[in-house]
Amino acid sequence: MARMIGLRLLKLVPVLFLVSLATFFIVDLVPGDPARAALGPDATEAQYEAVRQELGLDASLVERYVDWIGSALTGDLGNSLIKPGFTVTELISLALPITLQLAIMGMLIALFVSLPLAIVAAYREGTAVDRFTNGLTAAFISIPGFLAGLLLAYLFVFQPEVPRYAWLALGLAVACGMFLTAARRVGDDLGRNVALWILAGLVAIGVTLLVFANFPSFPRTGFVRLTSERGVLDNLRSAFLPALTISISQIAVFTRLLRSDLIATLQEDFILSAKAKGMTPRHILWREALRPSSFSLITLAGVSFGNAIGGTVIVESIFGIQGVGRLIVNDGVIPGDYPIVQGGVLVIAVFYVVVNLLVDVSYVYLDPRIRRG
Amino acid sequence: MAALLLPLGAVVLWIALGAITDPTALRLAVAVVGLVAMYFGIDAIAKRLVSPTFETDFWLSAGWLVLVVLLAVFADLLPLAEARDPSLTLTQPSRERPDLFSSHPLGTDSQALDILGGVIYGARVSLQVSLIAVTVGTVIGGLIGVTSGYFRGKLDGGVGILTDTLLAFPPLIFLLAVVTAFEPGVITISLALALLGIPTYTRLARANTLAFAQREFVLAARALGAKPGRIILRELVPNVVRPLLSYSFIIVAVLIVAEASLSFLGVGIQRPTPTWGNMIAAGQGQLETTPHVVFVPGAVMFITVFCLNRVGDKARAAWDPKQSAL
Amino acid sequence: MRLSRGNRVVALLAATSLVLAACGGDDDTATEEPTVDDTVADDTDDPDDTDDPDDTDDPDDTDDPDDTDDPDDTDEPDDTDDPVDPVDAPCDATIPGSQIDYGIFAPNAAFDPVGSSGALVGGTEIAAVYDVLFIFDPTTLEVRPHLAESLTADNDDFTVWTMTLREGITYSDGTPLTAQLVADNNERYFADEGVRNTSGGFLQYIEETEIVDDLTLRFTLNTPLAEFGLVFADEPGMVVNLDVIGDDANELKTAGPDVDAFRVQPPDAAGVGPYVVERNVPGEETILRARDDYWGGPVCVETIRFTWIPGSAGTYDAFRSGELDVAFLRDPVVNQQAIDDGVQHFYFPQDGGAMINFNHREGRATADPRLREAIMLALDPEIINDRAYQGALNTTLSYIGPDSPYYSDAVEERTLDTERAAALVEEVKADGWDGTLNFVAGNAPPGPDSAIAIEAMLGAVGIELDTELMATGDSIARLGTGDFDIITNGWNSGPGTMVLSLIRNLSSTSPTNRMGYASDAMDALLDDALATPFADLAPVLAAINNQINEEFVSPPFGSTSEGVVWTDDVSGLVPTVSTIFLFHDAVVTN
């Protein structure tokens, strides 16, 4: 076990080395003169030369790489060419929390939506609910991120009545479903459940109406930091649409995986025997069936999280948020501030690799079959 | 009875596209209702006429893809309003809303270019780019994967590290880095996308090769003294190519989205040459006032990707032995 | 009817200019008759703007010029013995918890006036920290002293000027604001081999600076400069306490540790402005805190928070959602929308804000005047407006637009004639030109749409464009290297920066003349413009405008505007040159 993890870590070293090498040399491919980026167009040739020297651009490639990676290992990614007095590390540490928050919120939304969806679909496999879920996930998986973002921006920002009434309809439908369940349970053996379902339906109606009455408005662009004095609510408001955009494709992936996983689990002997023992469906689903599936969900969530971190460029661009993706594109690639490009790409790539490693490791750890093999 | 939904849905769709002019959200909702109704209508008819197990969604998807390909191929022969050269549309109205019964059925954009035409020519670019990328990716990635899967050992280890490295970059960041270094055009974008696809194909081909390399016919060929090159080309490649191709639909879908994302970020193929991505990007600044400039090409792209995924799922289930085992 | 805020700002200016009228640039500060200019109402649609008796919370009311609260009125001659005692402050002390959230156009690169260029990059923030020697009034076109006491021309041809500073102004470390310090600050603009930023460009006309005494400087100019005071309303008028930077003060682009720290967060003693830097993260936020011993009396608003939301549309969205109290806007579509929404605003009209530039250099196809004429005949501003600006651009066929304070009947428009354009193109092609021009344009909206529209119109008369879209920074670089046939580049002539921007772009001796254009007739007109006070400038500028048409220098297609919008809670912003707004009189309720 430990040996296995050690081996994976060992394999990671050359990958990280190549990643850093590629990141570093990407810059040599990108056209443009760093000195010009730093000084603007009006400086003299002598000044450009001085800056090139100061940046060490005259040194050989190998020297420059060794120098850069040496500093990078100590957390120093160099200085921004264009933002004076700012180190790339500082800039990234300002942008990274935003990107992380969006990715985490997106994942939480996805889990929140896909868990009930997958459970219902799996439990009622083959019914209309299941087919609806299938169609929905197929649609969600096919929406390009930027299209989803623009659609959400259009609906929530410019046509706020549409999501507001959609929310009302959804909430009331859920409540109706709960009341129907209650009605069907009347005369069942467990009278307590009827009361519970009615209560749940009432709560659902209450929450629905409360949100409907106070439906928040969402900003088209901009981001309020979690630590900002403007407070958590403003932060959540500004993060909601981007996070929802990120979550769309994840909802599809999570739901699909969880549904097929659950269907397989529900066929297993221990479930069948639990059913035979007369356990309630709720108990079987939540206590027995979900547990084995949660492992693969965790790993999938990890992979998605890595993807989300790398994919926030689009979301940040649509919603005008200064996360790492935008930092790389708008402050790095476009003005030619190459230390930002190098640092940003390296940080994201390392993040990506490490998250994937953790996923692999957790998979090994959680899934006894692989551990044995 | 359900068959009645087909004409009913058609009428609803017709109302959405022709009779209602505002607001866009209402038009979209009515159009979706119409489409869903039509789908169930067709589904009911097909199940009765053809067979009760008829997969309506699959055949509709395949039909849409055929339609898109045909339109893209024969675009020049269609009586479309000008969609590519704004110097010919100087006197045309800009930002016309979609109206099925006008000369611009899907409206015009800010340059008064026809959106229907743009969507069709855009399909051409999307298909060109993704097909070139998939072809290059399959050939190069496939050969590398088969070779390293067959020889194993150090070569395999090296290839593994290289593919891991390429896959360590988030795809979009990787593309951005590559594309900023070159002038964007059909060929460069295609090659960048191919580069993105190569590690995936390498892994797929390698995994399949590992499965086939232990099979009798390969062992037999080896025992008969066949050279590795011959074994790879004659025995392994023909067997690996089918599961590899089964992924093509899905990868084409991914690449269409990737190309559009690049165009959307402004580093892809530039306007006025229409692509789905740059049409959407051009409209996003005026999302509030003229949403159709974004959502018409968006809808076409979404439907196409949806259909590719649907067809791809079926292709994979049919052709990929590992897939059916999973 | 309540005074609109736009009018209040204007009213404040009018009030102060009543008192200070002529200090700015006339040879005799006493002779000019102070008048409330009728341009007061220019900015808004509201004609009756001046008297509103119940508008008691407004300290800037124009009803009674004597009652003005502005600290600057202290420079009336009889008040000079007590220069830092405000008569009627809008508040008695800084109001705790009061804050203005200000949406900027672009992150401030450095808290150093030398690196700034107007309000687009840091000007407003920097001015709040260092204060300015003079204030330019964009509506009356007058320059009045602020931190300085006076500036007078010593001769009739505006070549010798005497500047007197206020007595008793000191930095918080005890360093006094002296003539020597002003002169040393000016030197910094030359440390980098050539003057770069907007008004700093005027400094090249200084031949000699003489320190007469601690508070008096005498400038000898090599060119008659009728509005010399304007220079010190802009960056050169923001005087840095060089002691705080240390030895690196003159090495602007050298990244010494002191200079770097100073540029990110200058110490409190670096400036004498109403605010000090509390926190500065470029691109994130800049927080300024009121100085409690500001020379001009109490600063009412405790903190100003500058944030950057990319793009005017995003900035305005944030303004509408209540995130910002003041928003800097510079997008014709958005600026028009704010007007339509009835939001209070103060915009500076920018002539030549939307235009393309020709490359006049030998060897370029556009060196051929027939081709330039053809393009000017073919470019219809209305089509660009429809295609790229959603109809919000203030289209013009002349450089000096109808909204310009310098507009007059003498301004001629260029003509549009596609047939003649096509004929000219044929002619040039017959002489061996291949029909293709290189075109460099910006890749941020509305750049791409505008480029496509231009491509379309020129395509229609037979000119093929090879268009390259790039980030603004890159296209400026291309402009600098002269590697283009046509390029989108606005000269952006605001009310104050008009003459300098024309000189920068058109003078044959200007290092920033990017077009390679040189004309004796134009040079003579530009010299004339420099020697003419703003009040008499209109005929000279009309002549320059007509010369642009005659020589097919470059076609403008619209005037733009830049400026701020603000909420009802805010008042007392003072506009000055380069679209900078000053905060020493700002008030925010709630």
Side-chain angles (χ1 to χ4, degrees):
Chain A
M1 174 81 191
R3 192 166 153 268
M4 184 140 189
I5 293 173
L7 268 177
R8 298 242 179 196
L9 278 173
L10 214 61
K11 240 179 101 182
L12 206 62
V13 173
V15 169
L16 284 177
F17 169 70
L18 285 175
V19 163
S20 72
L21 207 61
T23 314
F24 184 77
F25 290 117
I26 277 172
V27 171
D28 275 1
L29 284 175
V30 177
D33 180 356
R36 210 167 273 276
L39 288 183
D42 288 339
T44 62
E45 200 40 55
Q47 287 169 319
Y48 288 135
E49 199 42 54
V51 168
R52 279 186 209 113
Q53 236 158 41
E54 199 179 309
L55 293 171
L57 295 182
D58 295 343
S60 76
L61 277 179
V62 180
E63 277 173 326
R64 277 162 50 206
Y65 173 73
V66 169
D67 195 36
W68 177 71
I69 196 69
S71 317
L73 286 175
T74 63
D76 172 14
L77 292 166
N79 289 311
S80 159
L81 296 181
I82 292 162
K83 300 184 172 202
F86 270 83
T87 65
V88 174
T89 313
E90 276 172 320
L91 290 170
I92 290 175
S93 61
L94 282 171
L96 197 59
I98 299 179
T99 302
L100 285 178
Q101 189 195 348
L102 294 184
I104 291 171
M105 265 181 75
M107 205 168 63
L108 290 180
I109 294 175
L111 285 175
F112 184 76
V113 174
S114 54
L115 261 175
L117 214 55
I119 290 173
V120 171
Y123 193 64
R124 304 202 179 284
E125 188 195 350
T127 64
V129 180
D130 186 29
R131 271 185 297 156
F132 172 76
T133 308
N134 269 338
L136 196 72
T137 54
F140 276 15
I141 235 168
S142 305
I143 296 185
F146 59 91
L147 193 59
L150 288 174
L151 190 63
L152 290 174
Y154 179 68
L155 291 177
F156 279 86
V157 180
F158 299 128
Q159 309 277 334
E161 292 305 299
V162 176
R164 189 159 168 251
Y165 280 96
W167 164 262
L168 183 69
L170 183 74
L172 293 182
V174 169
C176 277
M178 288 169 169
F179 290 137
L180 277 179
T181 315
R184 248 184 294 148
R185 293 286 165 80
V186 174
D188 245 2
D189 40 356
L190 297 162
R192 187 171 53 95
N193 269 353
V194 176
L196 261 179
W197 279 110
I198 290 179
L199 189 67
L202 288 176
V203 169
I205 287 185
V207 171
T208 303
L209 290 179
L210 200 69
V211 175
F212 179 75
N214 303 301
F215 204 72
S217 69
F218 299 96
R220 171 73 182 82
T221 51
F223 189 79
V224 179
R225 272 179 189 280
L226 193 57
T227 51
S228 148
E229 63 197 54
R230 293 167 55 88
V232 178
L233 271 183
D234 272 352
N235 166 265
L236 292 180
R237 253 180 355 113
S238 68
F240 176 71
L241 287 182
L244 193 61
T245 306
I246 293 174
S247 76
I248 295 278
S249 66
Q250 294 185 344
I251 288 175
V253 176
F254 289 0
T255 310
R256 281 188 166 188
L257 174 99
L258 199 56
R259 175 187 165 275
S260 59
D261 233 35
L262 278 174
I263 288 174
T265 317
L266 288 173
Q267 307 299 326
E268 300 226 3
D269 293 342
F270 68 97
I271 299 283
L272 296 177
S273 72
K275 265 187 188 162
K277 279 182 204 154
M279 304 259 191
T280 62
R282 191 150 38 100
H283 178 91
I284 291 173
L285 272 174
W286 286 102
R287 290 295 171 82
E288 307 287 344
L290 208 52
R291 194 178 298 166
S293 299
S294 59
F295 296 151
S296 42
L297 197 64
I298 287 171
T299 59
L300 191 66
V303 173
S304 302
F305 185 67
N307 283 335
I309 295 276
T312 51
V313 172
I314 293 264
V315 173
E316 288 167 6
S317 147
I318 292 176
F319 293 100
I321 293 172
Q322 192 64 12
V324 182
R326 243 177 102 88
L327 180 76
I328 294 174
V329 175
N330 283 23
D331 298 288
V333 172
I334 290 173
D337 198 340
Y338 76 92
I340 292 184
V341 183
Q342 289 174 330
V345 172
L346 183 72
V347 166
I348 286 197
V350 167
F351 225 99
Y352 202 71
V353 171
V354 170
V355 167
N356 279 324
L357 172 87
L358 289 178
V359 166
D360 281 359
V361 170
S362 70
Y363 208 75
V364 174
Y365 183 73
L366 291 171
D367 192 333
R369 280 166 300 182
I370 289 192
R371 209 178 332 174
R372 260 179 262 122
Chain B
M1 273 316 282
L4 281 178
L5 283 170
L6 174 59
L8 203 67
V11 171
V12 173
L13 186 65
W14 177 73
I15 292 174
L17 294 177
I20 312 176
T21 51
D22 247 2
T24 302
L26 180 66
R27 288 183 89 172
L28 280 176
V30 174
V32 168
V33 169
L35 284 173
V36 170
M38 281 173 72
Y39 169 77
F40 282 111
I42 294 171
D43 190 45
I45 294 171
K47 283 209 162 76
R48 186 165 310 165
L49 293 184
V50 188
S51 98
T53 55
F54 187 78
E55 290 183 86
T56 315
D57 58 340
F58 170 76
W59 288 105
L60 281 179
S61 300
W64 172 268
L65 294 180
V66 171
L67 179 73
V68 169
V69 171
L70 286 179
L71 286 176
V73 171
F74 296 109
D76 294 329
L77 304 176
L78 301 172
L80 294 169
E82 183 56 47
R84 291 179 295 177
D85 184 354
S87 71
L88 302 176
T89 62
L90 289 175
T91 55
Q92 295 282 316
S94 64
R95 303 181 183 86
E96 281 285 283
R97 293 191 167 255
D99 180 0
L100 274 195
F101 310 106
S102 69
S103 54
H104 302 293
L106 297 180
T108 59
D109 68 5
S110 62
Q111 299 288 344
L113 295 171
D114 186 54
I115 294 183
L116 175 63
V119 162
I120 291 173
Y121 282 105
R124 189 182 266 189
V125 173
S126 293
L127 292 175
Q128 262 178 337
V129 166
S130 49
L131 288 179
I132 295 176
V134 162
T135 311
V136 174
T138 315
V139 171
I140 296 180
L143 280 179
I144 296 175
V146 172
T147 314
S148 78
Y150 179 73
F151 287 110
R152 308 291 303 267
K154 277 187 185 145
L155 174 74
D156 193 27
V159 169
I161 286 174
L162 277 177
T163 51
D164 281 356
T165 306
L166 282 175
L167 289 171
F169 289 99
L172 201 54
I173 303 273
F174 175 80
L175 279 178
L176 276 173
V178 174
V179 170
T180 42
F182 302 100
E183 188 81 5
V186 170
I187 299 297
T188 44
I189 302 273
S190 306
L191 293 182
L193 292 177
L195 203 54
L196 187 69
I198 285 174
T200 310
Y201 275 114
T202 305
R203 279 192 172 178
L204 279 173
R206 178 181 171 276
N208 276 291
T209 307
L210 290 182
F212 282 114
Q214 302 307 316
R215 297 274 285 274
E216 309 76 31
F217 58 91
V218 177
L219 298 176
R222 200 185 277 180
L224 289 172
K227 292 211 172 75
R230 190 187 159 82
I231 294 177
I232 286 174
L233 286 178
R234 286 294 175 82
E235 309 292 344
L236 287 172
V237 168
N239 282 296
V240 171
V241 82
R242 222 165 59 141
L244 222 52
L245 283 181
S246 74
Y247 278 87
S248 293
F249 288 101
I250 306 225
I251 291 185
V252 165
V254 170
L255 294 184
I256 284 179
V257 173
E259 184 275 322
S261 304
L262 285 180
S263 290
F264 179 76
L265 290 173
V267 294
I269 292 159
Q270 300 294 318
R271 288 183 81 212
T273 305
T275 73
W276 293 343
N278 72 23
M279 289 172 81
I280 293 170
Q284 68 160 331
Q286 293 129 54
L287 192 58
E288 186 170 10
T289 47
T290 52
H292 71 274
V293 181
V294 166
F295 293 126
V296 168
V300 172
M301 184 172 162
F302 163 70
I303 295 170
T304 308
V305 171
F306 183 93
C307 295
L308 280 167
N309 282 336
R310 178 68 188 88
V311 173
D313 280 344
K314 200 167 163 69
R316 241 170 25 169
W319 289 342
D320 184 6
K322 289 169 66 218
Q323 174 66 22
S324 45
L326 270 173
Chain C
M1 142 165 251
R2 280 179 65 84
L3 259 179
S4 89
R5 300 287 164 175
N7 291 343
R8 287 187 197 183
V9 175
V10 173
L12 164 71
L13 288 164
T16 44
S17 62
L18 266 178
V19 184
L20 311 161
C23 302
D26 225 334
D27 50 339
D28 184 356
T29 53
T31 55
E32 188 147 333
E33 191 68 32
T35 50
V36 178
D37 204 289
D38 59 357
T39 54
V40 158
D42 264 359
D43 181 58
T44 62
D45 318 318
D46 186 1
D48 51 343
D49 55 293
T50 42
D51 20 3
D52 185 0
D54 55 13
D55 194 18
T56 46
D57 66 336
D58 185 3
D60 309 327
D61 212 337
T62 52
D63 289 356
D64 185 0
D66 297 332
D67 193 30
T68 176
D69 60 288
D70 191 274
D72 303 317
D73 68 352
T74 51
D75 99 305
E76 271 179 308
D78 56 329
D79 240 356
T80 45
D81 51 340
D82 189 9
V84 289
D85 182 25
V87 176
D88 181 16
C91 59
D92 296 330
T94 301
I95 298 154
S98 57
Q99 174 167 333
I100 289 179
D101 282 283
Y102 187 109
I104 51 177
F105 180 74
N108 178 15
F111 264 100
D112 187 346
V114 178
S116 141
S117 82
L120 298 189
V121 190
T124 293
E125 298 94 302
I126 295 172
V129 168
Y130 299 104
D131 223 347
V132 284
L133 292 172
F134 292 83
I135 293 177
F136 169 72
D137 180 333
T139 37
T140 63
L141 306 178
E142 283 162 346
V143 179
R144 60 194 152 91
H146 179 63
L147 197 49
E149 194 170 287
S150 69
L151 181 69
T152 50
D154 297 346
N155 60 357
D156 287 343
D157 64 356
F158 306 115
T159 51
V160 181
W161 291 80
T162 302
M163 184 197 289
T164 315
L165 301 174
R166 258 172 219 274
E167 221 181 308
I169 305 250
T170 53
Y171 294 86
S172 64
D173 64 351
T175 310
L177 175 60
T178 58
Q180 185 62 49
L181 195 56
V182 173
D184 288 348
N185 267 270
N186 286 352
E187 275 308 306
R188 301 175 67 228
Y189 290 82
F190 295 95
D192 206 20
E193 296 182 31
V195 174
R196 209 178 300 158
N197 62 358
T198 342
S199 294
F202 272 126
L203 294 176
Q204 63 189 302
Y205 298 116
I206 299 177
E207 195 161 278
E208 196 198 333
T209 306
E210 183 194 341
I211 313 284
V212 179
D213 61 42
D214 257 8
L215 296 177
T216 315
L217 297 101
R218 186 168 299 129
F219 299 100
T220 309
L221 310 183
N222 52 26
T223 306
L225 207 53
E227 296 286 356
F228 186 55
L230 186 75
V231 179
F232 298 99
D234 217 334
E235 292 93 1
M238 305 172 195
V239 184
V240 181
N241 180 3
L242 296 176
D243 284 354
V244 305
I245 318 182
D247 298 337
D248 293 330
N250 285 319
E251 296 169 31
L252 294 172
K253 285 293 175 186
T254 314
D258 285 351
V259 173
D260 268 359
F262 154 73
R263 295 164 113 208
V264 173
Q265 184 151 8
D268 293 0
V272 292
Y275 287 89
V276 297
V277 183
E278 183 167 282
R279 175 180 146 83
N280 176 32
V281 185
E284 174 86 14
E285 64 176 5
T286 300
I287 294 177
L288 304 186
R289 200 186 61 248
R291 189 187 288 282
D292 48 19
D293 57 349
Y294 178 54
W295 65 270
V299 181
C300 300
V301 182
E302 186 178 36
T303 35
I304 305 174
R305 178 170 173 270
F306 295 92
T307 46
W308 175 54
I309 296 156
S312 292
T315 310
Y316 186 57
D317 280 341
F319 174 81
R320 274 196 297 189
S321 73
E323 270 172 66
L324 301 174
D325 304 302
V326 184
F328 189 96
L329 304 180
R330 192 180 188 243
D331 176 323
V333 178
V334 180
N335 289 26
Q336 183 57 45
Q337 195 190 342
I339 294 177
D340 294 344
D341 291 347
V343 175
Q344 312 187 61
H345 60 276
F346 188 93
Y347 294 158
F348 288 64
Q350 303 282 307
D351 287 313
M355 66 187 298
I356 56 173
N357 292 182
F358 293 135
N359 196 337
H360 292 246
R361 291 176 181 82
E362 259 333 291
R364 289 281 173 177
T366 39
D368 188 330
R370 290 172 300 174
L371 201 50
R372 298 202 305 269
E373 181 182 4
I375 294 172
M376 287 176 74
L377 288 166
L379 275 190
D380 182 351
E382 289 308 328
I383 289 183
I384 299 178
N385 194 13
D386 175 56
R387 303 288 152 97
Y389 293 91
Q390 296 168 266
L393 182 69
N394 212 339
T395 54
T396 63
L397 287 164
S398 53
Y399 188 80
I400 306 294
D403 279 0
S404 169
Y406 302 107
Y407 185 78
S408 66
D409 291 343
V411 170
E412 287 166 14
E413 298 190 334
R414 72 182 151 96
T415 47
L416 295 176
D417 183 346
T418 45
E419 276 172 35
R420 178 159 161 65
L424 282 167
V425 170
E426 278 314 307
E427 236 177 78
V428 183
K429 277 183 180 169
D431 291 351
W433 173 56
D434 67 353
T436 308
L437 292 179
N438 163 269
F439 177 32
V440 175
N443 63 4
D449 271 326
S450 159
I452 292 171
I454 290 169
E455 225 176 297
M457 282 184 281
L458 298 189
V461 298
I463 300 172
E464 193 76 30
L465 289 188
D466 171 20
T467 307
E468 295 177 73
L469 295 181
M470 54 186 73
T472 317
D474 293 337
S475 78
I476 290 173
R478 286 288 288 274
L479 194 63
T481 56
D483 180 15
F484 63 90
D485 287 331
I486 311 176
I487 192 165
T488 48
N489 174 49
W491 300 344
N492 289 353
S493 308
T497 52
M498 174 65 80
V499 175
L500 185 69
S501 74
L502 288 173
I503 285 173
R504 279 163 53 89
N505 287 292
L506 296 173
S507 164
S508 62
T509 54
S510 159
T512 50
N513 175 345
R514 306 302 192 191
M515 300 183 294
Y517 160 75
S519 151
D520 292 341
M522 187 63 88
D523 285 347
L525 284 170
L526 293 171
D527 282 343
D528 200 6
L530 271 181
T532 311
F534 285 159
D536 308 324
L537 203 52
V540 186
L541 290 176
I544 291 176
N545 175 82
N546 301 345
Q547 192 70 22
I548 290 174
N549 290 345
E550 201 169 300
E551 294 188 58
F552 315 112
V553 178
S554 281
F557 44 79
S559 300
T560 55
S561 64
E562 60 183 44
V564 297
V565 294
W566 61 93
T567 63
D568 291 344
D569 297 336
V570 178
S571 62
L573 299 181
V574 180
T576 178
V577 74
S578 300
T579 325
I580 290 171
F581 288 81
L582 303 173
F583 285 97
H584 57 271
D585 268 343
V587 178
V588 62
T589 51
N590 93 44

